[in-house]
Amino acid sequence: MKKRYYLAMSALSIAVVAGCGDTAEPVDGTKDEASLTLQQVFEKAMERQQNLKSVHAETNMDQVTNLMMDGETMQMTSTSNLAMDITQNPLAMYTNGNIEMDMSGEKFDMPMEMYMTEEDGFYMLNGETNEWIKLPDEQYEQIMAQAGAQANATDQLEQLQQFIDEFTFEQDDENYLLTLNIQGDEFKQFILSQMGASLGESMEMSNDILENMSFEDSQYNIVVAKDTFDTKEIDLDLKIITNIEGQETTIENDVNVVYSKFDEVDTIKIPDEVLKEATVTE
């Protein structure tokens, strides 16, 4: 369950980026046209990310995985609906939502609720028993690092800068609209770097996947506010195909993330009853 949750949340690590020296092409009906270049929007978006103190995110993700093994196909599907509050200083996160899964006809419905703070650690509700558990410190550190990246996407911006010429750049009256079509070998390592921490794969396995990975019909759609340069929304349609030793796996992700409450999230505190009742895991 935790691995699948990390994969779902890893979608929140995709950041905003823009490209070189052209201004945004206005879409039909645009009256308020801005004259900033792609490079200027990129720099301002990065500066905003560096100064972001808190944010709220609503994440919806549909994932379909088809595995071909020994001539038979096994399908796994999941639907995640998660809301997350993040504060940067002190670093803390609260997540609430639900994940539905279907593994070849075996269905699971998992409520998801988590608190993480620097002071108290990582607490998660066990959906099967409705009891709180406190996870080990090493898991807390890993997930808090991911949460920090989600609230402050500077690292992702720097990684995506290598694709700056690949983005289509448009605008409407309120937003910059960025689109990246994912194709070619240059995107493989980036996708692996985004998924690696969540999947927990070894470098050897990652290299195997990298050599046998391809993309089909994959695209980022990113919305940046003209007035504040906040990331308002991200749509990710990603289809990954791997074929290792004749075993083909296809993963299709449809992710939508809507950000709001920029610098408006209240201090996140773990309720006393959670701290008192939680069982400590090894």
Side-chain angles (χ1 to χ4, degrees):
M1 181 179 70
K2 299 169 192 171
K3 179 182 288 188
R4 296 189 184 97
Y5 174 73
Y6 298 160
L7 180 59
M9 295 309 296
S10 70
L12 292 177
S13 299
I14 306 300
V16 180
V17 67
C20 290
D22 296 328
T23 58
E25 182 72 20
V27 300
D28 290 344
T30 302
K31 297 179 181 178
D32 186 12
E33 297 183 20
S35 59
L36 293 181
T37 66
L38 299 174
Q39 183 65 39
Q40 288 170 327
V41 171
F42 171 79
E43 292 172 353
K44 290 180 180 294
M46 181 180 291
E47 182 180 0
R48 175 59 179 140
Q49 289 298 121
Q50 291 172 332
N51 293 301
L52 189 64
K53 298 180 178 63
S54 66
V55 70
H56 176 82
E58 297 279 345
T59 304
N60 299 296
M61 182 178 109
D62 294 318
Q63 179 174 290
V64 179
T65 302
N66 288 292
L67 298 89
M68 179 67 71
M69 300 184 66
D70 300 324
E72 297 184 1
T73 300
M74 180 174 68
Q75 184 177 86
M76 297 182 294
T77 65
S78 67
T79 299
S80 304
N81 298 287
L82 301 168
M84 182 168 67
D85 286 331
I86 300 175
T87 61
Q88 186 66 17
N89 188 20
L91 186 58
M93 184 175 75
Y94 172 67
T95 301
N96 189 23
N98 189 72
I99 299 177
E100 297 178 0
M101 303 188 67
D102 187 334
M103 303 178 66
S104 296
E106 187 176 2
K107 297 182 179 180
F108 304 88
D109 190 355
M110 299 179 295
M112 181 67 62
E113 188 171 8
M114 299 193 313
Y115 288 93
M116 288 182 285
T117 68
E118 290 181 315
E119 180 179 358
D120 295 312
F122 176 19
Y123 291 76
M124 183 170 67
L125 182 66
N126 185 326
E128 296 180 357
T129 64
N130 202 36
E131 296 176 339
W132 286 94
I133 57 175
K134 184 180 187 298
L135 273 69
D137 290 342
E138 57 267 22
Q139 294 192 26
Y140 159 79
E141 292 173 358
Q142 178 185 14
I143 298 176
M144 286 303 287
Q146 294 175 350
Q150 292 152 10
N152 185 340
T154 303
D155 290 344
Q156 284 72 35
L157 284 168
E158 292 175 348
Q159 291 180 47
L160 282 167
Q161 191 171 11
Q162 63 187 302
F163 309 124
I164 199 167
D165 294 328
E166 306 294 333
F167 277 88
T168 300
F169 187 42
E170 297 177 309
Q171 62 176 302
D172 59 23
D173 285 336
E174 298 181 352
N175 308 300
Y176 295 105
L177 311 173
L178 294 82
T179 301
L180 174 63
N181 292 308
I182 304 171
Q183 55 186 347
D185 292 343
E186 67 269 23
F187 293 103
K188 291 183 181 180
Q189 190 60 60
F190 171 72
I191 295 296
L192 281 181
S193 69
Q194 297 300 300
M195 297 176 64
S198 301
L199 295 174
E201 301 287 357
S202 67
M203 182 59 66
E204 181 179 355
M205 177 62 72
S206 294
N207 286 336
D208 288 341
I209 295 174
L210 182 63
E211 293 175 0
N212 296 279
M213 175 187 291
S214 61
F215 301 104
E216 288 186 4
D217 303 323
S218 299
Q219 186 179 85
Y220 291 128
N221 295 288
I222 306 169
V223 179
V224 182
K226 280 184 174 180
D227 55 350
T228 62
F229 298 96
D230 284 314
T231 307
K232 294 170 61 176
E233 185 173 355
I234 298 172
D235 283 304
L236 170 60
D237 292 320
L238 182 63
K239 183 176 181 179
I240 301 175
I241 300 173
T242 62
N243 194 318
I244 300 177
E245 297 181 354
Q247 308 299 322
E248 183 174 280
T249 301
T250 301
I251 302 174
E252 297 182 60
N253 281 312
D254 183 3
V255 184
N256 175 259
V257 186
V258 177
Y259 296 96
S260 61
K261 299 181 182 179
F262 302 99
D263 293 336
E264 296 178 1
V265 176
D266 294 332
T267 301
I268 298 171
K269 295 183 179 180
I270 303 178
D272 290 339
E273 58 268 26
V274 173
L275 295 173
K276 293 177 181 178
E277 297 174 5
T279 301
V280 180
T281 62
E282 297 296 333

